[in-house]
Amino acid sequence: MKTSSDKLRRLTAVAMFCALAYICMFVFRIKVSFLTFDAKDAVIATGAMFFGPLTALIMSAAVAVLELITVSDTGLYGCIMNFISSAAFSVTASLIYKYRRNLSGAITGLASAVLAVTACMMGANLLITPFYMGVSMHDVQAMIPTLLLPFNLTKAFLNASLVLLLYKPVTKALRISGFIHMPNPKTPAKTRKITIIIAIVAIVLVIASILVFITLLNGQFELYKT
């Protein structure tokens, strides 16, 4: 049974993840046409792996609304798109991981999240982008193969790779600080090797995704202008 102290620690940890996700909009941001990548979805998904899909939904909404009322220049449309993106990715990954709390469950969850968020964003773009940009649905459909699909797929792969890199160090930090209570078993040599291999693959995917944004999609790094 969770005590009030446990609930407070959980609430504090969730608030920290929300704050980190919000900060990510400023420190790591790539602009591609009217679309924007930042790493907040990866941070939200990392927190969701610890606290579950319902918390993922709450964090996604909180960060989207916080962005709307502070620095957003895309208004309500952008808020809705941000929420759909964050929720589809983090809820899918954490829901699968909730029932398969091992390495294969994490990878399966993240792979499923890549597909889920890409599909959701394709649908959301078809429904919302015509109103946001003042164009027809046919115009949006024309952008799918050249911009929308490659952007959202690359974004999903980059977020999944960042979660793989973040999960272990974040687990250690939360355990040491007392925000979570998880066993710390001795890691077998074989498992350590697999973890290292996954980390290397994740780094390669991060670099490859950034190169796709910059070279193929003509993306540019920038900071929010407040």
Side-chain angles (χ1 to χ4, degrees), residues 37-84:
F37 168 81
D38 55 56
K40 66 174 179 290
D41 289 359
V43 176
I44 292 171
T46 302
M49 301 295 262
F50 298 104
F51 302 115
L54 179 58
T55 302
L57 202 61
I58 294 171
M59 287 193 293
S60 299
V63 175
V65 171
L66 185 60
E67 181 178 354
L68 170 66
I69 63 178
T70 55
V71 297
S72 176
D73 56 3
T74 56
L76 184 59
Y77 294 124
C79 179
I80 295 172
M81 295 292 278
N82 285 331
F83 170 73
I84 293 173

Side-chain angles (χ1 to χ4, degrees), residues 98-109:
K98 179 180 180 180
Y99 297 102
R100 293 181 60 185
R101 299 193 72 85
N102 50 40
L103 182 58
S104 66
I107 293 175
T108 301

Side-chain angles (χ1 to χ4, degrees), residues 119-139:
C120 286
M121 294 311 291
M122 289 300 94
N125 274 295
L126 286 173
L127 293 174
I128 296 174
T129 302
F131 295 99
Y132 171 63
M133 296 188 65
V135 297
S136 68
M137 186 177 291
H138 178 74
D139 293 328

Side-chain angles (χ1 to χ4, degrees), residues 7 14 20 23 29 38 74 81 154 199 203:
K7 292 178 180 178
V14 170
L20 287 172
I23 291 171
R29 172 180 163 92
D38 55 56
T74 56
M81 295 292 278
T154 303
I203 291 171

Side-chain angles (χ1 to χ4, degrees), residues 21-211:
Y22 181 75
I23 291 171
C24 280
M25 293 185 296
F26 300 94
V27 298
F28 185 73
R29 172 180 163 92
I30 303 175
K31 188 78 172 178
V32 178
S33 184
F34 63 93
L35 303 169
T36 303
F37 168 81
D38 55 56
K40 66 174 179 290
D41 289 359
V43 176
I44 292 171
T46 302
M49 301 295 262
F50 298 104
F51 302 115
L54 179 58
T55 302
L57 202 61
I58 294 171
M59 287 193 293
S60 299
V63 175
V65 171
L66 185 60
E67 181 178 354
L68 170 66
I69 63 178
T70 55
V71 297
S72 176
D73 56 3
T74 56
L76 184 59
Y77 294 124
C79 179
I80 295 172
M81 295 292 278
N82 285 331
F83 170 73
I84 293 173
S85 175
S86 299
F89 185 79
S90 60
V91 170
T92 302
S94 60
L95 182 62
I96 294 174
Y97 187 63
K98 179 180 180 180
Y99 297 102
R100 293 181 60 185
R101 299 193 72 85
N102 50 40
L103 182 58
S104 66
I107 293 175
T108 301
L110 289 170
S112 300
V114 168
L115 297 177
V117 72
T118 302
C120 286
M121 294 311 291
M122 289 300 94
N125 274 295
L126 286 173
L127 293 174
I128 296 174
T129 302
F131 295 99
Y132 171 63
M133 296 188 65
V135 297
S136 68
M137 186 177 291
H138 178 74
D139 293 328
V140 177
Q141 289 173 341
M143 290 189 286
I144 289 178
T146 58
L147 176 62
L148 298 178
L149 180 58
F151 173 85
N152 284 291
L153 195 57
T154 303
K155 173 183 175 180
F157 270 111
L158 182 47
N159 278 320
S161 302
L162 289 172
V163 173
L164 286 175
L165 290 174
L166 288 171
Y167 185 77
K168 280 291 184 181
V170 170
T171 300
K172 184 176 181 180
L174 291 177
R175 185 188 293 119
I176 292 174
S177 60
F179 284 112
I180 60 172
H181 300 289
M182 294 175 64
N184 188 21
K186 187 176 180 180
T187 305
K190 183 178 179 180
T191 303
R192 288 199 297 269
K193 289 180 181 179
I194 294 174
T195 302
I196 292 172
I197 292 172
I198 290 174
I200 293 173
V201 171
I203 291 171
V204 171
L205 286 174
V206 167
I207 296 172
S209 298
I210 293 174
L211 289 176

